[in-house]
Amino acid sequence: MLVVITEMTRPDFERYLEEEKHPVAILPCGSIEQHGFHLPLGTDILNSYATAKALAEKTNAVVVPVCSVGDSVHHMHFKGTISIKPMTLVNILLDIIESLATHGINKIIILPGHGGNQWPISLATREAIIKYDVHVNQLPRRPK
């Protein structure tokens, strides 16, 4: 069973929407930043994506592409960090949610993998509920 939208064809996705009574999308949201000398810069991305895939396989949800960059300004003094402004992240999330809602997915779970993304995710969640008449839940960040 395919659970990652980027691995699906359009007919696969259309079939999913037809067969799934209550389609759900999981949106992992990570960051690119340091995690000490021993872990990759994409640790938050890798963790949130793996968790999203495991959850989707158990619940028949669909995983949408990882939001790979986040609000990591507090790590900018470490080489390799890539940070975006909080409102940029809010707008990216809203655009993704609007796209999903347009295609009939009105239940979205945002899976944060980075603590710095909590505020932008909360704001995007509230805005999306009002703007797009969707149900959006933010899962708690998974401890490292």
Side-chain angles (χ1 to χ4, degrees), residues 42-120:
T43 294
D44 292 342
I45 298 165
L46 299 169
N47 283 338
S48 61
Y49 181 67
T51 302
K53 270 187 77 173
L55 181 60
E57 288 167 356
K58 291 181 180 181
T59 62
N60 204 33
V62 171
V63 178
V64 298
V66 176
C67 217
S68 298
V69 289
D71 180 8
S72 297
V73 70
H74 54 287
H75 286 280
M76 283 304 294
H77 58 283
F78 294 107
K79 304 286 190 253
T81 299
I82 298 175
S83 184
I84 59 175
K85 292 174 179 56
M87 288 308 297
T88 302
L89 180 56
V90 169
N91 289 321
I92 289 169
L93 293 171
L94 287 173
D95 286 350
I96 293 169
I97 292 167
E98 180 182 20
S99 295
L100 293 167
T102 297
H103 297 302
I105 296 183
N106 68 354
K107 291 180 175 62
I108 295 113
I109 298 169
I110 301 177
L111 184 63
H114 168 63
N117 291 341
Q118 296 293 99
W119 177 84

Side-chain angles (χ1 to χ4, degrees), residues 9 12 25 27 32-33 41 49 61 66 69 71 80-81 92 94 102 106 112 122 131-132 137 139 142:
T9 62
D12 291 334
L27 172 55
I32 300 171
E33 64 180 31
L41 294 169
Y49 181 67
V66 176
V69 289
D71 180 8
T81 299
I92 289 169
L94 287 173
T102 297
N106 68 354
S122 293
K131 280 184 170 181
Y132 309 121
N137 291 311
L139 294 182
R142 183 177 172 180

Side-chain angles (χ1 to χ4, degrees), residues 4-62:
V4 179
I5 197 170
T6 55
E7 297 172 4
M8 294 176 160
T9 62
R10 183 174 48 111
D12 291 334
F13 186 68
E14 289 170 346
R15 192 169 26 263
Y16 169 78
L17 292 174
E18 288 171 11
E19 293 174 1
E20 186 60 38
K21 188 175 180 179
H22 301 289
V24 176
I26 303 172
L27 172 55
C29 194
S31 66
I32 300 171
E33 64 180 31
Q34 67 83 34
H35 288 88
F37 296 107
H38 61 296
L39 292 173
L41 294 169
T43 294
D44 292 342
I45 298 165
L46 299 169
N47 283 338
S48 61
Y49 181 67
T51 302
K53 270 187 77 173
L55 181 60
E57 288 167 356
K58 291 181 180 181
T59 62
N60 204 33
V62 171

